Amino acid sequence: ATVSPPTPVATVSQYACQRRTTLENHNKIFTEAFEVLAESYEFNMNEGQCLAFRRAASVLKSLPWAVLSLGATQDLPCLGQHTKKVMEEVLYYGRSFEVDNILSDERFQTLKLFTSVFGVGPKTAEKWYCRGLRSFSDILADRSIHLNRMQQSGFLHYGDISRAVSKAEALSLRNIIDGAVHAITPAAAVALTGGFRRGKEFGHDVDFIVTTPELGKEDRLLLNIIDGLKRQGLLLYCDYQASTFDMAKLPNHRFKAMDNFSKCFLILRLESSQVEGGLHSVEGDSRGWRAVRVDLVSPPLDRYAFALMGWTGSRQFQRDLRRFARAERRMLLDNHALYDKNKKEFLAASTEKDIFAHLGLEYIEPWQRNA
Ligand code: 8DG
Ligand code: MN
Ligand code: MN
């Protein structure tokens, strides 16, 4: 690998959707530090600073060379005073003192621990921290705390679902979902999306898109799949959300809003015997099974390309795709649709390539979207 910028250096875009970002990260020492800072700002509800560090990390991840001096970052976008100060520390001392302080901070450590539970977000974690709770046993012993169904499952399956899901496990789950879908309708299709579609070897969950060729049948399809999984004894947890999709609505460029398609957040039981090479979870392998987090989304067929794009991620890539559409093209993009504000019309797409083309962007492969 090259370690210095080739000359002349091609300009790096401020938008992740105009960069190709593979899983090969030559600047991990910096991006890992930025991730800690971003998370810390997230815990402090400082969205601006959080995003600034996520953007900076994303720019460095896209470089085919390692940054060896501050001078090499001169022409890079999205790197402010603060990020450069952190990089300087890392370059000279091999570590950032600011990051070290965060990592040893009790509040940060506790919020990190609490948010690692399925169903616990930063707000709940903060509430528990303010009550003086510091460990899982503190939470489980506190009778005044009410855990919702999601959080109860989160604690129940904590060991399994906090362990990464392997590619082999994801492919085995695809066969299981495929089987459940085809028992219902042979015409329906299942696609692996999320991090695994971007080529990752491990993930925190497995994401699938399911679709049926008949418009309007997608809600029913998802309910039938859930029913099939339940009858096979594989369903450990299910949070089903019916569609609230409204095709007349303009796309919402704000990335925070999740989509309105029918979807479900599941915890499934995966048998060791179903996975080539066995389970990734060591305890699970001796037990014969493990719990895995699975997300299913079911858009109507004419919105398939938009849903696939959104659910393929990465989050930073999708955020920038929307920001680019709005700022550079006066278009609104989300997981449902693309709207041209100049022409005042919706732009249809049947593939991801159509969406990139509408936006006047070069096509970026899923494995190049690891921004
Ligand atoms: P990982 O699981 O390997 O850790 O990474 P990932 O696959 O990239 O992350 P993810 O949290 O599973 O999310 C995958 C994509 O799905 C991400 O770009 C965000 C997107 N997504 C939506 N809508 C929704 C939603 O309603 N809920 C969730 N959890 N993710 C959504 O577009
Ligand atoms: Mn995922
Ligand atoms: Mn997911």
mmCIF file of all heavy atoms in Angstrom, residues 22 50 61 138 217 259 297 326 338 347 361:
data_model
loop_
_atom_site.group_PDB
_atom_site.id
_atom_site.type_symbol
_atom_site.label_atom_id
_atom_site.label_comp_id
_atom_site.label_asym_id
_atom_site.label_seq_id
_atom_site.Cartn_x
_atom_site.Cartn_y
_atom_site.Cartn_z
ATOM 1 N N THR A 22 -13.889 1.600 0.738
ATOM 2 C CA THR A 22 -13.924 0.154 0.967
ATOM 3 C C THR A 22 -13.706 -0.122 2.455
ATOM 4 O O THR A 22 -13.555 0.799 3.250
ATOM 5 C CB THR A 22 -12.824 -0.560 0.157
ATOM 6 O OG1 THR A 22 -11.559 -0.111 0.648
ATOM 7 C CG2 THR A 22 -12.936 -0.256 -1.334
ATOM 8 N N CYS A 50 -20.802 15.890 17.142
ATOM 9 C CA CYS A 50 -20.850 14.451 16.874
ATOM 10 C C CYS A 50 -20.727 14.203 15.374
ATOM 11 O O CYS A 50 -19.894 13.415 14.913
ATOM 12 C CB CYS A 50 -22.161 13.889 17.419
ATOM 13 S SG CYS A 50 -22.460 12.189 16.920
ATOM 14 N N LYS A 61 -11.369 7.519 6.158
ATOM 15 C CA LYS A 61 -11.607 6.121 5.771
ATOM 16 C C LYS A 61 -11.536 5.930 4.257
ATOM 17 O O LYS A 61 -11.225 4.851 3.767
ATOM 18 C CB LYS A 61 -12.999 5.667 6.231
ATOM 19 C CG LYS A 61 -13.093 5.249 7.672
ATOM 20 C CD LYS A 61 -14.504 4.736 7.953
ATOM 21 C CE LYS A 61 -14.777 4.704 9.436
ATOM 22 N NZ LYS A 61 -16.211 4.434 9.711
ATOM 23 N N ASP A 138 -27.167 -3.412 39.072
ATOM 24 C CA ASP A 138 -27.846 -2.253 39.689
ATOM 25 C C ASP A 138 -29.233 -2.082 39.059
ATOM 26 O O ASP A 138 -30.215 -1.844 39.761
ATOM 27 C CB ASP A 138 -27.058 -0.952 39.434
ATOM 28 C CG ASP A 138 -25.801 -0.857 40.283
ATOM 29 O OD1 ASP A 138 -25.630 -1.704 41.188
ATOM 30 O OD2 ASP A 138 -24.999 0.065 40.032
ATOM 31 N N LYS A 217 -49.384 -6.123 -1.021
ATOM 32 C CA LYS A 217 -49.396 -7.381 -0.281
ATOM 33 C C LYS A 217 -48.238 -7.471 0.722
ATOM 34 O O LYS A 217 -48.086 -8.464 1.420
ATOM 35 C CB LYS A 217 -49.312 -8.571 -1.248
ATOM 36 C CG LYS A 217 -50.552 -8.776 -2.108
ATOM 37 C CD LYS A 217 -51.614 -9.586 -1.365
ATOM 38 C CE LYS A 217 -52.966 -9.566 -2.049
ATOM 39 N NZ LYS A 217 -52.953 -10.350 -3.296
ATOM 40 N N ASP A 259 -37.785 4.930 8.077
ATOM 41 C CA ASP A 259 -38.821 4.880 7.045
ATOM 42 C C ASP A 259 -40.144 4.323 7.563
ATOM 43 O O ASP A 259 -40.237 3.813 8.675
ATOM 44 C CB ASP A 259 -38.327 4.121 5.823
ATOM 45 C CG ASP A 259 -37.991 2.685 6.141
ATOM 46 O OD1 ASP A 259 -38.853 1.979 6.676
ATOM 47 O OD2 ASP A 259 -36.850 2.275 5.849
ATOM 48 N N VAL A 297 -37.463 -5.689 6.427
ATOM 49 C CA VAL A 297 -38.275 -4.552 5.958
ATOM 50 C C VAL A 297 -38.948 -4.988 4.663
ATOM 51 O O VAL A 297 -38.374 -5.734 3.874
ATOM 52 C CB VAL A 297 -37.427 -3.269 5.772
ATOM 53 C CG1 VAL A 297 -36.346 -3.445 4.732
ATOM 54 C CG2 VAL A 297 -38.316 -2.069 5.392
ATOM 55 N N ARG A 326 -30.080 17.434 -1.728
ATOM 56 C CA ARG A 326 -30.740 18.681 -1.373
ATOM 57 C C ARG A 326 -29.894 19.904 -1.716
ATOM 58 O O ARG A 326 -30.354 20.836 -2.361
ATOM 59 C CB ARG A 326 -31.045 18.682 0.126
ATOM 60 C CG ARG A 326 -32.270 19.511 0.480
ATOM 61 C CD ARG A 326 -32.708 19.188 1.880
ATOM 62 N NE ARG A 326 -31.983 19.973 2.840
ATOM 63 C CZ ARG A 326 -32.508 21.037 3.439
ATOM 64 N NH1 ARG A 326 -33.740 21.421 3.155
ATOM 65 N NH2 ARG A 326 -31.809 21.715 4.312
ATOM 66 N N LEU A 338 -37.608 9.810 -4.442
ATOM 67 C CA LEU A 338 -36.754 10.939 -4.811
ATOM 68 C C LEU A 338 -37.650 11.985 -5.461
ATOM 69 O O LEU A 338 -38.425 11.663 -6.371
ATOM 70 C CB LEU A 338 -35.668 10.477 -5.791
ATOM 71 C CG LEU A 338 -34.713 11.542 -6.343
ATOM 72 C CD1 LEU A 338 -33.903 12.204 -5.237
ATOM 73 C CD2 LEU A 338 -33.768 10.911 -7.378
ATOM 74 N N LEU A 347 -39.246 11.252 -9.042
ATOM 75 C CA LEU A 347 -38.447 10.543 -10.039
ATOM 76 C C LEU A 347 -38.436 9.061 -9.687
ATOM 77 O O LEU A 347 -37.958 8.669 -8.617
ATOM 78 C CB LEU A 347 -37.010 11.099 -10.054
ATOM 79 C CG LEU A 347 -36.895 12.617 -10.271
ATOM 80 C CD1 LEU A 347 -35.444 13.080 -10.141
ATOM 81 C CD2 LEU A 347 -37.451 13.018 -11.641
ATOM 82 N N LEU A 361 -24.771 11.302 -10.244
ATOM 83 C CA LEU A 361 -23.606 10.782 -9.520
ATOM 84 C C LEU A 361 -23.099 9.531 -10.219
ATOM 85 O O LEU A 361 -23.879 8.767 -10.791
ATOM 86 C CB LEU A 361 -24.008 10.387 -8.093
ATOM 87 C CG LEU A 361 -24.219 11.501 -7.075
ATOM 88 C CD1 LEU A 361 -24.854 10.928 -5.809
ATOM 89 C CD2 LEU A 361 -22.908 12.189 -6.741
#
